[in-house]
Amino acid sequence: QVQLQESGPGLVKPSQTLSLTCTVNGGSITKNFAWSWIRQPPGKGLEWMGVIGYDGSTYYSPSLKSRTSISRDISKNQFSLQLHHVTPEDTAVYFCARILNYELTPVDYAMDYWGKGTQVTVSS
């Protein structure tokens, strides 16, 4: 059973960097699958943000690419999100998830395991 757990600050000030970590238990982040960040602003649908593959390769949503960075710590079996220059519009519940079919385009990604999500509010 694979389990994912998001962690990080729940409140970030505008213009600062939002940093979250996803800890994966029950499966190695370096084998077979890819690992993604998704968010859901209040009252809106899910927004895919980016992915890091088992080989460390990354791909980002074009709309967030200029502000987003995803990295990993193999020794801790964790991957992390950094979102720079945040505004109140970045307020959302942030999820991490495992992707089954990294070889496809993001619109076709299937995600089988998800974290519970963590609320991040951008406010001064």
Side-chain angles (χ1 to χ4, degrees):
Q1 181 76 9
V2 177
Q3 295 180 323
L4 292 84
Q5 177 67 56
E6 305 90 350
S7 60
L11 180 64
V12 183
K13 295 184 183 300
S15 81
Q16 293 187 344
T17 296
L18 180 162
S19 296
L20 296 174
T21 296
C22 183
T23 301
V24 179
N25 291 306
S28 172
I29 63 171
T30 64
K31 294 182 179 179
N32 299 326
F33 302 103
W35 309 88
S36 196
W37 287 98
I38 307 99
R39 68 180 182 178
Q40 186 169 29
K44 298 184 179 180
L46 295 171
E47 179 183 17
W48 178 77
M49 301 182 70
V51 59
I52 185 164
Y54 61 90
D55 58 355
S57 59
T58 55
Y59 184 74
Y60 302 107
S61 168
S63 65
L64 295 170
K65 182 178 181 180
S66 64
R67 299 194 291 132
T68 306
S69 176
I70 298 176
S71 59
R72 64 181 184 173
D73 186 333
I74 295 174
S75 66
K76 296 180 180 179
N77 212 41
Q78 296 174 334
F79 63 103
S80 297
L81 169 73
Q82 287 195 317
L83 182 64
H84 305 287
H85 309 298
V86 297
T87 72
E89 286 67 41
D90 294 310
T91 293
V93 178
Y94 286 76
F95 299 90
C96 56
R98 188 175 81 168
I99 294 175
L100 290 172
N101 49 355
Y102 185 43
E103 70 278 7
L104 301 180
T105 57
V107 69
D108 293 317
Y109 283 162
M111 302 173 195
D112 59 347
Y113 289 102
W114 292 68
K116 294 180 179 180
T118 186
Q119 173 70 47
V120 178
T121 301
V122 180
S123 175
S124 56

